[in-house]
Amino acid sequence: MFKALPLVKISIITLREREDELLEILGRQASVHLLPARSEGVPNPMLTQIVREEEENAAYEKRLSIIMEQLRLINARNSGERSCPAGGAVFKAQTLDELELKIGKLVREILELERQNNQLQGNISGLEKLSGLNIDIKKWNSLSHIHAKIGQVPERELRSLDSRLNEPDIILLPLARLQDTISVAVISHIGNAERIQWNLKRAFFSESQFPPEFAGTPSEMIGKVKALLDENRNRIKELKNRLSEIYACRREEIIQTGEALLTKRVFLAAKKEFGYTRESVIIFGYIPSAQLHSLKQAIEKSFPWPFEIRTEALPDREEAPVELSNPSVVKPFELISDLYGHPRYNEVDPTPVLAITYPLMFGMMFGDVGQGAVLAFTGWAMARFSAKIGLPSAVGKIAVLCGLASVLFGFLYGSVFGYEDLIHPVLFAPASDMNFFFTIALGFGVFYLLLGLLFSLINLVRKRERGGLIFDKYGIAGLMFYLSLLSIYFGSTLGSGLLLHSGMSLVIFIFVFFVFKEFIRSIALERRVQWHTLHPVSLFENMLEFFELLVGFVSNTVSFIRLAAFAMSHAALMGVVFYVAKALQNTFGYLAVVVAGNLGIIILEGVIVAIQALRLEYYEFFSKFYQGGGVRFSPFTLKEEAE
């Protein structure tokens, strides 16, 4: 905890023709974070070829996805087992060609038959409207003095078509609705034929086409169309069975083809980071020190070809990727740390402290046994069903811990759903002793700021920044300044002349130190005098920095008063809820107001308190030492890519 796993830089050299076998081992081990070879000064002359292979592989993947979509469309993948001839399956372009030829032809026929069936179904609905007519449909279009058409128009076009054909000698008869189209019949004398055809075309009219062998009255035609529908449905069923057999027989081949294309995509993406010579490939990366031995063993065991592994310790200031090793109870709070920025390699990880202080501050501001229990249960439900509601499970887990902290402080305050007379407070009610409560909040703030300054010193030591360690505003100089301010405060509060005068003397010393710190730094670290640092403008800037730090330390400390203020406002809000509830003077109204008030406070104040706790973490604590902006350790792995 508090620190990233130690890494070493690794480079692996092997023959170019064996890079895929080596990549497969690295993917199974999932322990190497790949580093671009160009950052190590090694070129990649294969980049153009790799990009071309990526495009070709992407085209194959697209073709396979279309095939799988076609199988899903007609539910072939849900069919049972079929007997199929023996034989292995390996990926090659011919596999996709064969599948596209066989499956594509069958699917196109199925879709055409389904389109015909939709049209025939509409024809049946339209013919049922004409079932009272004793006229031969075959003669419908051969009438010499009458122009008549049956077909479908989009529903959105029906009104405009009706307005354009709204004349006494033209009949537009809606027959039936079919999805988003309307079956219609248009009847008029032959003189209107050209104008009717033009308007029907504008309305996207689709004329019903009956097979030439169909003849007879509408009632007779209905029977013939239904027979054709049944024939088409049987044909569709037969085609789907053939598709199911193809999938069942070649399922393993299809799966292996997909896996081969996926693996090649992963490998090609990795190869873009490699370095190449005429005969060798060089793979650079980072690996946790503890996993280096197991990687060497895995390669030696499964890779019979020549290879060489070189390792080197990381330079002090190298920004390596960061792999954290926090316990499971702390892990959810990495979400909050990452919102500020992922830790850098040599930076203190604040997540373990955050996992304690964030729920603690939340509970301190939102202390109530009942409301905390509701929040904890809500958090559990959010974590349990995170995938369905689209939230990270970490959010629910954080809510659970915050809810439990609220329950703890609820017992300390003696509050259950706002009632302060159900249980006796273990500590005190928030409003009963405000001065003591403010003192506790300020004391916590002082402790937290000192912890942030201590972490800043640790970061400066890890980065070997000697100058920053001494002269930085959050280095030793800043820490001594804050301690001197505390000495003045406690000296004046407790009446201790020693603390007061010691603190004031130290403040004066640090003030002079800050004003001339650049001059002192040049002498102490650079062993030479830089007279320009004594320029009045430079001295004035240093003076401003001192007063800025003074105001910052005071405001940062006072900011923690909100811990007590929100706890008291929480009690006051519940007092308002009970005041309104009692004014209603009936049991139902009282319960309704109390329940609604509690729910409103859990939601509204819960969000506000969560934001306030987050503000204290980011602005008062993180800002003292935490920079963020690190790169997450992301090892090369086949499993992750497959997901």
Side-chain angles (χ1 to χ4, degrees):
M1 292 195 300
F2 298 106
K3 186 178 180 181
L5 287 178
L7 303 178
V8 294
K9 186 178 286 187
I10 186 174
S11 59
I12 308 174
I13 306 172
T14 189
L15 301 175
R16 283 175 58 167
E17 61 267 22
R18 296 303 175 189
E19 59 181 340
D20 286 354
E21 290 85 348
L22 182 58
L23 268 176
E24 188 174 348
I25 297 173
L26 295 180
R28 289 200 304 266
Q29 291 295 114
S31 59
V32 177
H33 178 107
L34 296 179
L35 178 65
R38 59 184 175 274
S39 65
E40 300 298 307
V42 180
N44 186 348
M46 301 291 294
L47 190 58
T48 302
Q49 179 180 334
I50 292 172
V51 171
R52 187 163 54 248
E53 289 182 24
E54 276 188 321
E55 294 173 351
E56 180 182 323
N57 194 74
Y60 282 134
E61 285 191 295
K62 184 176 182 180
R63 290 169 61 187
L64 182 62
S65 69
I66 292 174
I67 291 171
M68 299 303 290
E69 178 63 21
Q70 290 173 333
L71 292 171
R72 185 201 63 79
L73 185 67
I74 50 84
N75 296 319
R77 295 179 60 184
N78 297 328
S79 61
E81 295 288 342
R82 298 286 192 278
S83 60
C84 42
V90 293
F91 169 68
K92 47 187 176 181
Q94 184 182 353
T95 301
L96 291 178
D97 294 339
E98 292 174 358
L99 290 172
E100 285 176 330
L101 182 62
K102 292 181 179 180
I103 294 175
K105 181 179 179 181
L106 295 176
V107 168
R108 284 192 295 273
E109 186 175 352
I110 289 172
L111 294 177
E112 175 60 25
L113 289 172
E114 288 179 343
R115 187 195 66 78
Q116 290 180 15
N117 283 357
N118 287 334
Q119 188 176 31
L120 291 173
Q121 195 66 50
N123 291 341
I124 290 176
S125 301
L127 288 169
E128 287 175 345
K129 296 285 185 179
L130 302 174
S131 58
L133 297 177
N134 188 19
I135 184 174
D136 191 334
I137 292 295
K138 193 171 184 179
K139 299 177 181 178
W140 179 268
N141 292 323
S142 60
L143 297 173
S144 57
H145 300 290
I146 296 177
H147 180 77
K149 296 290 181 182
I150 295 179
Q152 293 82 36
V153 295
E155 185 176 1
R156 66 180 183 277
E157 298 288 339
L158 181 60
R159 180 174 296 181
S160 60
L161 178 64
D162 184 48
S163 64
R164 291 195 298 269
L165 299 180
N166 187 18
E167 296 184 14
D169 56 348
I170 300 177
I171 298 174
L172 176 63
L173 180 63
L175 302 177
R177 181 189 301 273
L178 181 64
Q179 295 179 350
D180 57 350
T181 63
I182 304 293
S183 292
V184 296
V186 182
I187 304 172
S188 182
H189 62 80
I190 198 68
N192 290 327
E194 186 175 345
R195 187 159 61 89
I196 290 175
Q197 284 295 106
W198 168 249
N199 283 288
L200 289 178
K201 185 177 181 180
R202 288 179 61 189
F204 303 100
F205 175 79
S206 175
E207 186 176 358
S208 297
Q209 300 291 336
F210 298 101
E213 64 272 16
F214 280 14
T217 65
S219 298
E220 295 171 342
M221 286 284 292
I222 289 173
K224 295 177 181 179
V225 172
K226 286 183 176 180
L228 181 58
L229 270 173
D230 291 337
E231 181 181 337
N232 285 352
R233 287 168 182 156
N234 290 333
R235 176 60 178 167
I236 290 173
K237 184 177 180 181
E238 177 188 344
L239 294 173
K240 286 187 175 183
N241 287 336
R242 287 173 60 185
L243 279 172
S244 298
E245 291 175 0
I246 292 173
Y247 177 72
C249 291
R250 306 192 68 169
R251 177 170 49 194
E252 291 302 319
E253 185 179 0
I254 292 172
I255 293 173
Q256 289 176 16
T257 298
E259 290 176 349
L261 290 171
L262 175 61
T263 300
K264 188 172 182 180
R265 168 156 53 93
V266 175
F267 280 11
L268 289 171
K271 290 176 183 180
K272 292 164 76 173
E273 310 295 338
F274 294 174
Y276 290 90
T277 63
R278 191 172 67 175
E279 296 181 352
S280 302
V281 58
I282 308 174
I283 302 173
F284 294 94
Y286 299 98
I287 183 172
S289 303
Q291 299 182 30
L292 178 59
H293 181 66
S294 61
L295 176 66
K296 288 181 177 179
Q297 284 187 325
I299 296 177
E300 290 171 355
K301 180 180 179 181
S302 307
F303 193 75
W305 298 279
F307 72 93
E308 180 183 357
I309 297 179
R310 299 174 183 173
T311 60
E312 62 175 296
L314 298 184
D316 293 333
R317 297 176 182 271
E318 179 154 347
E319 291 295 340
V322 175
E323 172 78 345
L324 301 176
S325 58
N326 291 312
S328 58
V329 70
V330 175
K331 206 98 180 141
F333 289 89
E334 291 179 5
L335 176 67
I336 297 179
S337 298
D338 284 347
L339 286 176
Y340 195 92
H342 198 64
R344 292 176 180 264
Y345 184 68
N346 284 316
E347 197 170 38
V348 173
D349 175 24
T351 310
V353 173
L354 186 69
I356 298 173
T357 57
Y358 186 81
L360 191 67
M361 290 191 290
F362 184 95
M364 192 173 180
M365 292 185 281
F366 195 75
D368 188 282
V369 175
Q371 293 172 358
V374 171
L375 180 61
F377 176 78
T378 304
W380 172 84
M382 290 169 63
R384 177 70 174 80
F385 303 103
S386 58
K388 294 183 178 179
I389 61 179
L391 277 176
S393 61
V395 175
K397 293 174 182 177
I398 292 173
V400 169
L401 293 175
C402 289
L404 295 177
S406 297
V407 172
L408 172 63
F409 278 91
F411 282 112
L412 295 178
Y413 299 159
S415 176
V416 182
F417 286 116
Y419 292 97
E420 297 185 351
D421 52 359
L422 296 180
I423 60 175
H424 185 74
V426 176
L427 190 61
F428 58 83
S432 64
D433 194 344
M434 291 188 292
N435 290 334
F436 180 59
F437 204 180
F438 283 132
T439 302
I440 291 177
L442 287 173
F444 179 81
V446 169
F447 163 77
Y448 213 29
L449 290 180
L450 287 173
L451 184 61
L453 292 172
L454 176 62
F455 282 175
S456 177
L457 295 180
I458 294 173
N459 282 341
L460 292 169
V461 170
R462 287 181 178 176
K463 296 175 183 177
R464 303 182 186 275
E465 296 183 4
R466 293 186 301 163
L469 181 63
I470 299 171
F471 298 97
D472 193 273
K473 65 178 181 178
Y474 296 135
I476 293 176
L479 176 60
M480 296 304 296
F481 182 37
Y482 189 57
L483 290 175
S484 66
L485 294 177
L486 294 177
S487 179
I488 293 174
Y489 171 77
F490 285 113
S492 60
T493 304
L494 302 175
S496 172
L498 178 62
L499 288 175
L500 179 61
H501 292 106
S502 298
M504 293 180 66
S505 301
L506 191 56
V507 166
I508 294 172
F509 172 78
I510 293 174
F511 172 74
V512 175
F513 179 82
F514 259 86
V515 172
F516 295 97
K517 69 175 183 177
E518 297 301 331
F519 181 74
I520 299 172
R521 182 199 291 262
S522 67
I523 296 174
L525 298 180
E526 300 177 15
R527 305 298 183 185
R528 61 190 179 91
V529 178
Q530 295 186 4
W531 295 105
H532 70 274
T533 59
L534 295 179
H535 192 278
V537 174
S538 178
L539 298 179
F540 183 70
E541 289 178 352
N542 293 338
M543 190 184 305
L544 288 179
E545 183 183 1
F546 173 83
F547 286 111
E548 180 187 5
L549 187 61
L550 170 63
V551 173
F553 277 143
V554 173
S555 63
N556 290 158
T557 305
V558 173
S559 183
F560 282 88
I561 288 179
R562 74 187 67 226
L563 295 176
F566 274 94
M568 288 186 284
S569 68
H570 179 265
L573 284 174
M574 287 308 304
V576 172
V577 170
F578 288 126
Y579 178 81
V580 174
K582 290 176 181 178
L584 295 179
Q585 297 182 347
N586 67 81
T587 304
F588 177 78
Y590 177 87
L591 292 175
V593 171
V594 170
V595 171
N598 270 278
L599 287 175
I601 286 175
I602 290 172
I603 296 171
L604 180 61
E605 194 177 359
V607 172
I608 294 174
V609 166
I611 294 173
Q612 293 301 320
L614 195 63
R615 184 201 179 282
L616 291 174
E617 295 287 0
Y618 284 169
Y619 291 99
E620 272 59 70
F621 182 57
F622 279 34
S623 62
K624 302 298 178 292
F625 68 95
Y626 192 58
Q627 184 177 1
V631 177
R632 187 181 297 276
F633 185 84
S634 179
F636 173 73
T637 170
L638 301 179
K639 181 179 179 182
E640 278 191 5
E641 295 290 344
E643 290 173 354

